[in-house]
Amino acid sequence: MSRRIRALGAVLAIAAAPGVPAFAQTTELPAINVTSTDSSASLVSPNTAEARRQIEQTPGGVALVPDAAFKDTPALIIKDIVGFVPGVWAQPKWGDDTRLSIRGSSLSRNFHLRGIQLYLDGIPINTADGYGDFQEIDPSAYRYVEVYKGGNALRYGANSLGGAINLVTPTGRDASPFDVRLDTGSFGYVRSQASTAGAKGPFDWFVTGSAQSTDGYRDHSDGHGMRGSANVGYRVSDDFETRFYLNANTVRQRIPGSVTRASALNSPKAAAAGNVLLDQQRNIDTLRVANKSTLRLGDTTTLDVGLFGVDRHLMHPIFQWLDYRYADYGGFLRLNDERLLAGHRNRLVAGVNLHNGDIDNRQFANLPGAVKGALLSSSRDRSQNYSAYLENSFYVLPQLALVAGTQFLHAVRERKDRFLTNGDQSGSRSFDVWSPKLGVLWEDGAGRQVFANVSRSAEVPSFGENTFATSALSSIETQIATTYEIGTRGRMPDVTWDLAIYRAEIHNELQCLTNPSTPGACAVTNADRTVHQGIEAGLGVAVLKGIATQGDRVWLNVAYTFSDFRFDGDARYGNNQLPGAPRHYLKAEALYKHPSGFYAGPNVEWVPQAYYVDNANSLRTDAYALLNVRVGYDRGEQFSAYLEGRNLFDTRYIASASIAETANAASALFEPGTGRAIYAGIRYRM
């Protein structure tokens, strides 16, 4: 408890420092209105300004990234969207695959994603058992992206250490009638994208599609894909709108594989020999359909209802030939209410979610050349998730809200083994978890906020951990985290800031705890107690103005993340650092912007200290610094263009790493970063 008091004391000292708004400063707050009254805006899908207003009512770490922050770049992967969000560690592996972690989530997941819920227009991208992937993400398609850290994702019912990321497409009411772009660059990269949108009477529509191909920086890393999204809305009345969504993707990607540290730094283009021999790939086809409807009840209440279904086929020749067919379905009901209660402002959010799924799981021998061999395993995996949540914000003062919330999750994981040659590995587990939250939010109505909260988050193991293959792998428990957080954020014409300090005390963290006699191996089970704590600091400021003409400026954008993740008195590893993420991570950009639309400036990415890749703390990555630069033209009118250079000094570095319990120089755990690259793009919109 004393550590928590000291941590909160440090935060309060920061909050009292110059530049943080004083509580004595007051500004009249806006009138209560749960949704925009603009009849030309969508009820189901808020525009960027309304979405920012809603997300900043959260007493904790959240962020909204508008498309202006990433659409004048190549926007290759999710890192290009969330790279300047403090607390987010997103590093490329190969193709679209990324090492994504928020506040140290999913560090032990060496393949794909766990611990962060991904959404597309509020509809889950993750499968029902919690597994996530990045190949369905098309950065060119989104109007804005919402980031909810940890227990702050309660609005969507998400409840994990990492929180949630929601990718939001435009509607026909806020998109250009016609928009087309072409991007090209190093290593054979080409992407074309086009969209059309419009509104006529009660109807509106938005359709976008993109095609992409690349030879890849590394050997055996070529890939291509096509992605498409569409939504059609119908405004039944001023207070009721329904919207239908369609998303389809087909992606084919070769996998170069992880290599040793020496290979990553000395021969960064080389692929792992086994990946080449077996022609390892990750290929996926998906189709997602959904409907969301919003009913506005007066000026204070809205009711959101949604249904969705997803069909996904994974064709994944790796160490075995994985042939998985996923069928997910679900729905949600959410109530938002803002009104005066006993003369005080009150905001209530409550809802229920259902997300169930079925996996037809077949694994075959993978023969050289990615030839499907004999059947080696087969199972039917079913997941059920039922959750209910409630959060209430009561303004005891016009500017000060007390927040209380909770979520209940009932989850089932069931496997029916259909390949009994090696024994029956069927099994079933159910999980029931309560996750309460308490918080406080101060806001002055002029864009300045101070917040604090205590929240619990829970993460039920996926089939990637709870395999039922052995008794140990049939008894993995839910990961439970209690997080203490305090911070401030603000937005003014010449400065923005976002600061949060947090400490998460975790029981049963899903971690690599395997036989230490097998260097580089990792099978996930529960650790005893671990701690994730850190500082997330973002700053945007106009450092120079009126340099060449009235209205120009140099905008400095900085995102710094300090991460202290460690075991807490572990029987084997004591207080060792948890592997998989750097203690310090900095991104900064100084961009000159001219009122004519011209912009130019350098940016840097810096990991000043290597981080460990094993629990034993015996093997590290390598520190690195990258220099990038971009120049372009965008006046917000019809034509825009950019030119961007990345890793200009052609630095050899390790972009991401898998983790293990123990590792040595021969452990193949590292993915090299991309060398020097040049990208260019043009865009035309009406």
Side-chain angles (χ1 to χ4, degrees):
M1 180 64 71
S2 61
R3 287 180 294 180
R4 300 173 197 162
I5 293 173
R6 287 196 299 270
L8 292 177
V11 175
L12 291 172
I14 293 174
V20 176
F23 285 90
Q25 297 175 327
T26 61
T27 303
E28 184 179 355
L29 294 173
I32 294 174
N33 185 23
V34 72
T35 61
S36 172
T37 57
D38 183 0
S39 60
S40 66
S42 169
L43 287 176
V44 171
S45 183
N47 60 29
T48 304
E50 175 62 16
R52 187 184 299 280
R53 184 192 75 85
Q54 293 182 13
I55 197 172
E56 290 184 349
Q57 293 173 350
T58 306
V62 294
L64 185 142
V65 185
D67 62 351
F70 54 85
K71 282 197 173 179
D72 59 354
T73 75
L76 303 171
I77 58 175
I78 194 170
K79 175 184 179 180
D80 295 317
I81 300 176
V82 299
F84 271 94
V85 178
V88 178
W89 170 244
Q91 290 298 314
K93 297 176 68 175
W94 40 263
D96 304 298
D97 203 22
T98 301
R99 180 78 157 174
L100 179 64
S101 176
I102 299 177
R103 296 184 172 178
S105 66
S106 190
L107 291 179
S108 64
R109 190 65 181 258
N110 290 338
F111 52 96
H112 316 307
L113 177 69
R114 186 196 66 233
I116 300 172
Q117 300 297 311
L118 300 178
Y119 294 87
L120 177 60
D121 293 306
I123 304 301
I125 294 177
N126 296 54
T127 60
D129 74 324
Y131 145 90
D133 202 2
F134 305 95
Q135 289 177 287
E136 299 169 55
I137 294 176
D138 181 2
S140 68
Y142 309 127
R143 169 64 72 214
Y144 56 84
V145 176
E146 299 170 315
V147 180
Y148 300 83
K149 303 172 187 177
N152 297 305
L154 189 65
R155 175 181 175 183
Y156 288 104
N159 189 22
S160 57
L161 180 64
I165 296 176
N166 184 35
L167 310 151
V168 181
T169 57
T171 71
R173 300 186 182 279
D174 63 3
S176 300
F178 179 71
D179 194 332
V180 61
R181 63 181 287 167
L182 177 66
D183 302 84
T184 187
S186 301
F187 319 117
Y189 174 75
V190 178
R191 181 181 63 194
S192 57
Q193 181 267 340
S195 66
T196 182
K200 186 173 183 179
F203 288 96
D204 73 270
W205 62 91
F206 172 78
V207 181
T208 183
S210 68
Q212 175 181 317
S213 66
T214 180
D215 296 333
Y217 171 69
R218 298 178 63 194
D219 300 335
H220 200 74
S221 65
D222 58 296
H224 61 274
M226 293 186 293
R227 301 173 176 89
S229 294
N231 66 76
V232 177
Y234 180 68
R235 194 73 169 262
V236 180
S237 70
D238 287 344
D239 295 318
F240 181 58
E241 176 182 301
T242 188
R243 188 167 297 275
F244 295 89
Y245 292 86
L246 176 67
N247 173 258
N249 309 275
T250 180
V251 179
R252 302 294 182 265
Q253 177 66 54
R254 283 194 166 89
I255 304 173
S258 300
V259 295
T260 65
R261 184 179 187 276
S263 178
L265 295 175
N266 298 320
S267 304
K269 291 188 175 184
N275 286 58
V276 177
L277 176 65
L278 297 178
D279 194 12
Q280 295 194 15
Q281 305 170 35
R282 179 170 176 79
N283 306 320
I284 191 168
D285 296 326
T286 61
L287 179 66
R288 176 182 288 101
V289 293
N291 173 265
K292 294 168 61 180
S293 298
T294 297
L295 174 64
R296 183 166 55 194
L297 304 172
D299 292 332
T300 61
T301 306
T302 61
L303 185 66
D304 301 317
V305 182
L307 296 170
F308 66 90
V310 182
D311 179 80
R312 179 185 286 110
H313 187 197
L314 174 66
M315 299 149 282
H316 196 14
I318 45 175
F319 72 101
Q320 293 179 355
W321 215 111
L322 279 56
D323 191 341
Y324 291 2
R325 291 184 178 272
Y326 301 81
D328 279 21
Y329 65 92
F332 65 87
L333 177 68
R334 180 167 58 242
L335 174 75
N336 292 266
D337 183 89
E338 291 189 47
R339 66 177 67 230
L340 291 177
L341 185 63
H344 295 262
R345 292 176 63 198
N346 191 80
R347 181 171 59 250
L348 172 69
V349 179
V352 293
N353 292 307
L354 179 149
H355 187 187
N356 295 347
D358 183 279
I359 308 173
D360 182 359
N361 175 339
R362 300 173 189 267
Q363 295 185 198
F364 302 83
N366 185 22
L367 305 179
V371 176
K372 186 184 291 186
L375 182 67
L376 300 178
S377 69
S378 176
S379 67
R380 177 76 67 175
D381 301 337
R382 291 186 172 91
S383 299
Q384 301 175 48
N385 304 276
Y386 307 93
S387 64
Y389 60 93
L390 180 149
E391 183 177 273
N392 194 78
S393 302
F394 182 74
Y395 282 78
V396 294
L397 298 173
Q399 299 166 298
L400 183 66
L402 301 182
V403 182
T406 190
Q407 181 194 75
F408 176 74
L409 169 67
H410 173 71
V412 177
R413 303 290 181 263
E414 179 183 5
R415 169 163 287 175
K416 178 63 177 177
D417 193 355
R418 302 178 300 195
F419 186 86
L420 304 178
T421 303
N422 57 350
D424 189 350
Q425 300 177 33
S426 302
S428 180
R429 295 281 308 281
S430 63
F431 308 85
D432 295 293
V433 185
W434 281 100
S435 299
K437 176 180 180 179
L438 293 173
V440 59
L441 174 67
W442 175 84
E443 52 186 339
D444 70 348
R448 295 170 290 191
Q449 297 180 324
V450 176
F451 56 83
N453 74 75
V454 180
S455 64
R456 178 181 293 169
S457 60
E459 187 175 336
V460 174
S462 71
F463 286 113
E465 294 81 37
N466 217 341
T467 66
F468 301 103
T470 66
S471 59
L473 296 177
S474 301
S475 57
I476 296 176
E477 299 297 331
T478 302
Q479 172 182 296
I480 303 291
T482 301
T483 302
Y484 307 85
E485 178 182 9
I486 190 168
T488 176
R489 57 178 168 254
R491 181 171 299 273
M492 302 174 71
D494 289 330
V495 62
T496 64
W497 69 90
D498 185 357
L499 172 67
I501 301 176
Y502 70 93
R503 176 183 172 89
E505 298 174 350
I506 307 173
H507 292 265
N508 295 323
E509 180 170 2
L510 298 168
Q511 265 294 332
C512 283
L513 294 170
T514 55
N515 188 342
S517 64
T518 309
C522 177
V524 173
T525 185
N526 296 115
D528 183 14
R529 292 190 300 183
T530 53
V531 171
H532 293 213
Q533 57 189 1
I535 301 172
E536 303 161 348
L539 176 67
V541 59
V543 292
L544 295 172
K545 299 174 66 176
I547 304 168
T549 187
Q550 184 177 1
D552 69 346
R553 62 179 181 173
V554 174
W555 184 262
L556 177 65
N557 194 17
V558 179
Y560 168 72
T561 301
F562 169 72
S563 303
D564 181 20
F565 309 148
R566 60 182 62 251
F567 291 97
D568 187 9
D570 186 77
R572 178 180 296 171
Y573 295 115
N575 295 323
N576 276 10
Q577 294 181 31
L578 293 174
R583 286 176 63 80
H584 305 276
Y585 179 56
L586 176 73
K587 290 197 69 174
E589 179 178 61
L591 192 67
Y592 173 75
K593 298 180 179 181
H594 192 275
S596 67
F598 170 79
Y599 61 86
N603 64 82
V604 297
E605 177 180 332
W606 187 28
V607 175
Q609 182 179 347
Y611 57 91
Y612 291 111
V613 298
D614 63 341
N615 295 341
N617 288 183
S618 59
L619 185 64
R620 296 176 182 257
T621 60
D622 196 39
Y624 69 85
L626 306 179
L627 176 64
N628 316 299
V629 67
R630 62 188 179 114
V631 59
Y633 171 83
D634 187 357
R635 199 173 180 177
E637 298 176 349
Q638 291 181 323
F639 174 78
S640 61
Y642 74 86
L643 178 67
E644 182 166 336
R646 298 187 173 183
N647 191 5
L648 295 182
F649 292 139
D650 201 21
T651 300
R652 294 183 175 184
Y653 71 104
I654 293 168
S656 65
S658 299
I659 73 166
E661 186 171 32
T662 62
N664 58 33
S667 299
L669 299 171
F670 304 90
E671 284 91 19
T674 300
R676 183 187 297 115
I678 305 295
Y679 299 95
I682 55 173
R683 181 183 182 190
Y684 176 81
R685 54 192 182 273
M686 297 175 57

